[in-house]
């Protein structure tokens, strides 16, 4: 392969891996160096994956606290909705938010599981966690809504593989923020519908009662600065708290998850 073309392909791969995982570009460089200097012939892909896994599960958790971040502490009732969140290093928060999640889980009824989605990368404030606009300082995390089985009982299952993109649509009597935003030209507003990675568990439905319990439990802590919830769900669950905000049409709709931010 032409050296110039090879260089640009590596450059593109470095950029893509860095944007997607923050440390993937470093793992690629480690893989390239290892492939060049090891006595035996190894596949660069295998070496890069090996370096990435070592960084993700061994090195990064010990380095992140220097930057004021730590992994979300998984417990019996705090779990990621999707393991990709962990594999892509999108599960880092500051200690205050981590403690608040633990306190929330302890305060929730025992049958609840607090399922989280994207949080932040492990390093560097203002480093973007795409496609999110503000998950860049350790203070934010997305949390899944709560659902119920066809018989009305609480379930910890979710309607999409990623945890995003399956919306709780407004009824004809509720305010439709998506229509309003799209009328103003914000066509990205329902973009998460393309990020489901596949819909699943079609027999479950949104639990207004249990999601309200989750939200009220989170808001019982003064450390919460704001929470984004779509307007029709605020209306449906009769939520009244000044910290519940509208995220703006420049963002995306929040009736498939909650956005939580600490001070």
């Amino acid at each position: 392969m032409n050296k110039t073309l090879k260089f640009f392909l590596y450059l593109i791969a470095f950029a893509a891996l860095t944007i997607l995982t923050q440390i993937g570009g470093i793992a690629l460089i480690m893989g390239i160096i290892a492939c060049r200097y090891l006595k035996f012939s190894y596949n660069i892909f295998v070496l890069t994956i090996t370096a990435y896994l070592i960084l993700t599960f061994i090195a990064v958790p010990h380095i992140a606290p220097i930057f004021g971040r730590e992994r979300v502490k998984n417990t019996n009732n705090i779990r990621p909705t999707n393991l990709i969140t962990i594999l892509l290093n999108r599960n880092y928060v500051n200690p205050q938010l981590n403690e608040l999640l633990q306190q929330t889980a302890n305060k929730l009824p025992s049958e609840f599981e607090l399922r989280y989605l994207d949080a932040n990368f492990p390093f560097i404030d203002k480093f973007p966690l795409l496609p999110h606009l503000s998950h860049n300082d350790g203070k934010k995390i997305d949390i899944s809504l709560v659902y119920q089985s066809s018989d009305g009982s609480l379930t910890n299952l979710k309607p999409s593989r990623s945890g995003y993109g399956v919306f709780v649509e407004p009824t004809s009597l509720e305010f439709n923020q998506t229509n309003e935003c799209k009328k103003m030209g914000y066509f990205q507003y329902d973009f998460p519908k393309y990020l489901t990675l596949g819909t699943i568990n079609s027999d479950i439905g949104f639990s207004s009662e249990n999601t309200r319990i989750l939200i009220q439990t989170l808001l019982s802590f003064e450390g919460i600065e704001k929470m984004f919830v779509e307007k029709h769900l605020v209306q449906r669950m009769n939520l009244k708290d000044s910290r519940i905000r509208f995220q703006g049409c420049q963002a995306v709709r929040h009736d498939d998850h909650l956005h939580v931010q600490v001070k």
Side-chain angles (χ1 to χ4, degrees):
M1 183 185 296
N2 181 280
K3 287 185 177 181
T4 302
L5 176 59
K6 190 174 184 179
F7 171 79
F8 278 108
L9 288 176
Y10 279 144
L11 190 62
I12 292 170
F14 176 87
L17 290 170
T18 301
I19 290 170
L20 188 63
T21 70
Q22 194 175 52
I23 66 166
I26 296 173
L28 176 62
I29 292 173
M30 292 172 66
I32 293 171
I33 293 173
C35 190
R36 177 171 297 182
Y37 290 104
L38 285 177
K39 293 181 180 180
F40 303 100
S41 177
Y42 288 92
N43 184 296
I44 190 170
F45 176 78
V46 173
L47 289 170
T48 299
I49 291 295
T50 301
Y52 180 80
L53 293 175
I54 291 172
L55 288 172
T56 295
F57 293 105
I58 299 176
V60 171
H62 294 287
I63 301 171
I66 299 173
F67 294 82
R69 313 272 176 91
E70 57 189 30
R71 288 184 294 186
V72 175
K73 296 175 183 175
N74 295 328
T75 65
N76 288 335
N77 50 3
I78 299 179
R79 301 172 184 268
T81 297
N82 191 316
L83 290 177
I84 291 177
T85 302
I86 294 175
L87 288 174
L88 299 186
N89 290 288
R90 302 165 81 92
N91 61 322
Y92 282 80
V93 295
N94 67 19
Q96 179 190 358
L97 180 49
N98 218 350
E99 179 61 25
L100 188 144
L101 293 174
Q102 302 299 316
Q103 292 175 351
T104 299
N106 291 337
K107 197 172 180 180
L108 286 168
S110 59
E111 64 271 20
F112 269 67
E113 283 186 6
L114 194 159
R115 295 294 186 99
Y116 64 89
L117 300 161
D118 284 349
N120 311 264
F121 281 136
F123 310 125
I124 309 172
D125 285 352
K126 305 303 180 184
F127 191 101
L129 183 97
L130 298 178
H132 305 279
L133 298 179
S134 65
H135 288 232
N136 57 23
D137 57 7
K139 297 180 180 180
K140 289 98 174 181
I141 192 168
D142 288 344
I143 296 176
S144 290
L145 304 178
V146 186
Y147 296 84
Q148 60 188 23
S149 302
S150 55
D151 62 2
S153 60
L154 173 69
T155 178
N156 290 305
L157 298 175
K158 307 303 174 187
S160 76
R161 297 186 190 281
S162 70
Y164 291 103
V166 176
F167 307 118
V168 181
E169 298 289 349
T171 68
S172 59
L173 299 177
E174 294 174 333
F175 181 72
N176 193 318
Q177 185 66 63
T178 301
N179 285 349
E180 292 300 312
C181 287
K182 286 194 165 186
K183 285 178 184 177
M184 293 187 286
Y186 294 97
F187 297 107
Q188 90 298 332
Y189 195 69
D190 61 352
F191 176 77
K193 66 186 178 183
Y194 301 113
L195 303 177
T196 64
L197 302 182
T199 57
I200 53 176
N201 304 316
S202 59
D203 58 332
I204 66 174
F206 173 67
S207 173
S208 179
E209 177 184 355
N210 288 308
T211 300
R212 188 172 191 272
I213 290 172
L214 171 61
I215 291 173
Q216 289 183 321
T217 303
L218 284 162
L219 292 173
S220 69
F221 298 102
E222 293 184 359
I224 295 288
E225 180 179 22
K226 66 177 71 171
M227 180 184 294
F228 295 151
V229 186
E230 208 68 10
K231 288 183 178 180
H232 66 276
L233 294 186
V234 174
Q235 176 187 353
R236 189 181 305 182
M237 292 183 282
N238 193 28
L239 297 169
K240 301 183 186 300
D241 192 298
S242 61
R243 292 171 293 175
I244 298 176
R245 313 277 180 82
F246 170 52
Q247 67 278 2
C249 286
Q250 78 284 352
V252 295
R253 59 193 290 182
H254 281 67
D255 52 356
D256 59 342
H257 70 281
L258 309 173
H259 169 98
V260 176
Q261 178 175 331
V262 295
K263 297 176 181 177

